[in-house]
Amino acid sequence: MKNNHKFKFDIWGIFTLAILGFYLLFLVLPLGTVLYQAVINKETGALTFNYFIKFFSKPYYSSTLWNSFKVSFCTTVLAIAIGAPLAYFFTMFKIKGKKFLQILIILASMSAPFIGAYSWILLLGRNGVVTNFFKGIGIAVPPIYGFAGILLVLVCQLFPLIFLYIQGALKNVDNSLIEASENMGCSGWRLFLKVIVPLVLPTMLAGGLLVFMRALSDFGTPMLIGEGYRTFPVLIFNEFMSEVSGDDGFASAIAIVAILVTAFIFLIQKFASNRFSFTMNAMHTIEEKQLKGTSNILVHLYSYLVIGIAIVPQCYVIYTSFKNTKGLLFTEGYSLMSYKSAFERMGNTIINTFKIPGISLILIVLFAVLIAYLVVRRRNSLTNTVDIMSMIPYIIPGSVVGIAFGITFRNKFFSIGGLALMVIALIVRRLPYTIRSSVAVLQQIPMSIEEASISLGASKLKTFFKITVPMMAGGIISGAILSWVTLISELSTAIILYTTKTKTLTISIYTEVLRGNYGIAAALSTVLTVLTVISLLAFMKISNGKDITM
């Protein structure tokens, strides 16, 4: 009897094993395959480190690491320098049009970075509108291409993350601390540097390291405007694509280096978060003040200027989408010609943008809710293993996920391809973010509610679907919308795995920019921007103004 009781059917045990099997097949196996390809000689089967020696011994390859670190570090410093004061101003002072400005900030943070790169090409490229204007009055504009251009695009796209993180942290600062500081003569910039910065330092570090990792793994921006300035993700992509028909061991070795680098950065982030973390609870949140005179003008000027620079490229892309085109050139007059051409030639890509991310999103939400429940409510060695494995993709660049899937599942042993491969890759890549938000929601639901349901005769599974899931619904839906935005703007993984039948908007925009079809690219970018705006408005409606953190 004891043995029968011990081994009775447990649905949550089945779920745990099924999810573990999923990660073994679609995470451990691809990463193991990449490692095998990197250290095993194909011809002899012997252990070799020649690919790693090749990478580190040739400056042509190893310099891309330094280039990526340089871009990422400068982006992080500038993003903090711009985003932190902006968050301070928005929390401390009354600013006209604040709600609308916040929507613009969020839109800037959620849009695909490579669209920003494409926008700045239209503005400051060799034949850009701003470049031509200044050329007409005899002023030479610095080129947008290379390090400066990459930095400009990434800072404009990533400083909103710092803004959102710090603004959320400032809501936990008690107003009495501000009043006490001001009573002691500490105000203005001294208050910001001596009181506010130390209080939000853990959040600033966490946000800064997230910005660093995003800048380090960004593929689209340096690919479009980097030209001679080669970064690590671009090298990974180029080497893999050139090795597809031959030996892909070198591409695998570069992918392993990328994983080690991002893992090291992630560990620094964890250490910094643990080292400087503390909790704050605000009995009275910071009260907004009305500035007067020069201070009021400067705060408004800074806010409008920063947000304006961040959002103007997207506005210009929308504007150019209505301009007439002749061949590859914009001409006088306005029409819907670019949209007509886009829908006629690439209507299938728009359908794919709904279909592929849509299927991925449904499965991501299902997996995230189940994993969150297992991690929070059913803790044991197996669920802990699932929790750890589910977080591994968080530190892996998208291009590496694409390479791992391409090498593993496009061979004679597996027949996974097309839509299925894209969907599975997107699930693995984006699942960690949705799991964390689901865990946060579930931790706020008292266990006693579920225990009461079970004590009244409901099964564990019925309790989960009838009690727990409905209570998590608000957080699940708002988290799903944010996941949707990241899925429709995914490029680094999709660009490696797509086929002609699985092309999405982001891939089409990228390929059209490379071909010089700026009119069609602008029309497709506008469609993607509209989808993003609708999604964000839906999020704000459902979440009742909840802060967005990515």
Side-chain angles (χ1 to χ4, degrees):
M1 291 293 292
K2 286 183 179 179
N3 287 338
N4 290 337
H5 177 73
K6 183 177 180 181
F7 294 106
K8 69 179 182 179
F9 178 77
D10 180 13
I11 188 66
W12 293 111
I14 300 296
F15 283 152
T16 303
L17 291 174
I19 293 168
L20 194 60
F22 173 84
Y23 275 115
L24 287 173
L25 180 59
F26 295 113
L27 179 64
V28 176
L29 178 61
L31 293 181
T33 303
V34 169
L35 179 61
Y36 178 86
Q37 296 272 10
V39 298
I40 300 297
N41 187 299
K42 263 190 175 183
E43 296 177 358
T44 64
L47 183 69
T48 178
F49 293 100
N50 288 341
Y51 294 126
F52 293 98
I53 294 170
K54 177 182 176 182
F55 176 81
F56 287 105
S57 63
K58 294 187 177 181
Y60 178 83
Y61 299 117
S62 57
S63 62
T64 59
L65 261 181
W66 165 245
N67 288 346
S68 291
F69 270 106
K70 183 180 173 184
V71 166
S72 302
F73 178 77
C74 292
T75 298
T76 304
V77 171
L78 289 175
I80 291 174
I82 293 168
L86 191 65
Y88 174 70
F89 293 155
F90 267 60
T91 306
M92 291 287 292
F93 310 122
K94 291 181 179 179
I95 297 173
K96 290 182 180 179
K98 182 182 291 187
K99 288 285 184 185
F100 179 66
L101 291 175
Q102 284 184 310
I103 293 173
L104 294 181
I105 291 171
I106 294 168
L107 180 59
S109 73
M110 300 296 283
S111 63
F114 74 92
I115 291 180
Y118 157 58
S119 309
W120 284 109
I121 289 173
L122 293 179
L123 290 168
L124 292 171
R126 293 184 180 91
N127 197 37
V129 61
V130 175
T131 305
N132 288 336
F133 171 79
F134 281 105
K135 191 185 294 182
I137 58 176
I139 299 175
V141 178
I144 189 66
Y145 305 96
F147 171 77
I150 297 172
L151 189 62
L152 173 65
V153 173
L154 291 179
V155 169
C156 287
Q157 207 265 337
L158 295 175
F159 86 81
L161 288 178
I162 299 294
F163 170 86
L164 293 169
Y165 266 70
I166 293 179
Q167 189 183 43
L170 287 173
K171 290 182 178 179
N172 293 322
V173 175
D174 198 289
N175 195 60
S176 61
L177 291 172
I178 307 299
E179 292 175 346
S181 301
E182 290 175 339
N183 290 337
M184 296 179 70
C186 184
S187 59
W189 280 107
R190 288 184 64 209
L191 173 66
F192 174 71
L193 294 173
K194 291 184 175 293
V195 178
I196 297 298
V197 169
L199 287 174
V200 300
L201 185 60
T203 304
M204 190 182 292
L205 289 172
L209 282 161
L210 177 62
V211 167
F212 188 95
M213 288 183 70
R214 285 212 177 180
L216 187 69
S217 61
D218 183 65
F219 162 77
T221 302
M223 190 69 174
L224 287 178
I225 63 174
E227 290 199 349
Y229 196 88
R230 297 161 55 257
T231 62
F232 205 50
V234 174
L235 173 68
I236 293 173
F237 174 79
N238 288 337
E239 289 302 319
F240 177 72
M241 297 310 288
S242 67
E243 297 287 348
V244 166
S245 58
D247 181 15
D248 43 34
F250 186 51
S252 298
I254 299 172
I256 293 298
V257 174
I259 293 172
L260 293 175
V261 169
T262 51
F264 177 70
I265 295 166
F266 178 73
L267 291 174
I268 293 175
Q269 179 185 6
K270 295 293 288 183
F271 171 78
S273 299
N274 295 333
R275 174 70 177 81
F276 299 104
S277 65
F278 56 87
T279 57
M280 292 186 294
N281 288 305
M283 296 294 289
H284 303 285
T285 55
I286 295 174
E287 297 174 4
E288 293 179 357
K289 298 175 183 177
Q290 179 62 60
L291 287 172
K292 295 180 180 179
T294 307
S295 297
N296 188 42
I297 294 171
L298 291 175
V299 165
H300 276 79
L301 183 64
Y302 179 83
S303 302
Y304 292 155
L305 185 64
V306 167
I307 297 168
I309 292 172
I311 206 70
V312 75
Q314 292 186 56
C315 295
Y316 187 70
V317 166
I318 295 171
Y319 164 73
T320 57
S321 71
F322 294 102
K323 292 192 72 175
N324 286 330
T325 57
K326 186 176 181 181
L328 302 180
L329 302 174
F330 290 112
T331 58
E332 294 295 325
Y334 302 91
S335 68
L336 297 175
M337 187 189 304
S338 294
Y339 288 94
K340 184 181 177 183
S341 299
F343 280 92
E344 284 178 352
R345 292 169 52 186
M346 298 177 187
N348 192 50
T349 66
I350 297 172
I351 295 171
N352 284 339
T353 302
F354 283 96
K355 184 167 67 175
I356 295 172
I359 296 170
S360 303
L361 182 64
I362 292 169
L363 295 173
I364 283 172
V365 170
L366 178 62
F367 271 92
V369 172
L370 288 174
I371 293 172
Y373 189 83
L374 292 172
V375 167
V376 176
R377 297 285 197 251
R378 307 282 169 182
R379 290 206 73 87
N380 56 51
S381 57
L382 277 179
T383 57
N384 286 340
T385 303
V386 169
D387 188 26
I388 293 168
M389 291 177 71
S390 68
M391 287 298 105
I392 291 174
Y394 179 80
I395 63 170
I396 302 176
S399 53
V400 174
V401 174
I403 288 171
F405 271 67
I407 291 173
T408 306
F409 300 113
R410 283 179 175 170
N411 54 48
K412 61 184 178 181
F413 298 108
F414 291 95
S415 58
I416 302 175
L419 187 142
L421 194 61
M422 286 272 284
V423 167
I424 295 168
L426 289 177
I427 291 170
V428 171
R429 178 151 159 70
R430 294 300 176 183
L431 193 53
Y433 302 93
T434 314
I435 290 172
R436 288 304 101 188
S437 62
S438 299
V439 166
V441 172
L442 188 57
Q443 286 174 335
Q444 296 173 359
I445 299 174
M447 183 68 178
S448 57
I449 297 175
E450 295 170 42
E451 291 171 345
S453 173
I454 293 170
S455 68
L456 290 170
S459 67
K460 292 178 180 178
L461 197 60
K462 187 176 182 180
T463 298
F464 174 72
F465 284 109
K466 295 285 187 180
I467 305 295
T468 310
V469 171
M471 292 181 71
M472 294 174 66
I476 292 171
I477 293 170
S478 57
I481 293 171
L482 292 184
S483 295
W484 165 257
V485 173
T486 62
L487 286 168
I488 62 176
S489 60
E490 172 64 42
L491 177 67
S492 55
T493 300
I495 195 71
I496 293 172
L497 298 177
Y498 85 95
T499 64
T500 52
K501 292 183 179 179
T502 57
K503 217 174 183 183
T504 59
L505 270 175
T506 49
I507 298 168
S508 295
I509 295 166
Y510 172 77
T511 53
E512 291 306 304
V513 170
L514 290 184
R515 291 170 183 167
N517 293 325
Y518 291 149
I520 293 175
L524 293 173
S525 297
T526 302
V527 172
L528 187 60
T529 300
V530 169
L531 284 175
T532 304
V533 170
I534 292 171
S535 302
L536 292 176
L537 290 174
F539 170 84
M540 297 175 83
K541 178 72 175 176
I542 292 169
S543 64
N544 296 318
K546 178 184 173 184
D547 290 329
I548 291 178
T549 54
M550 295 298 291

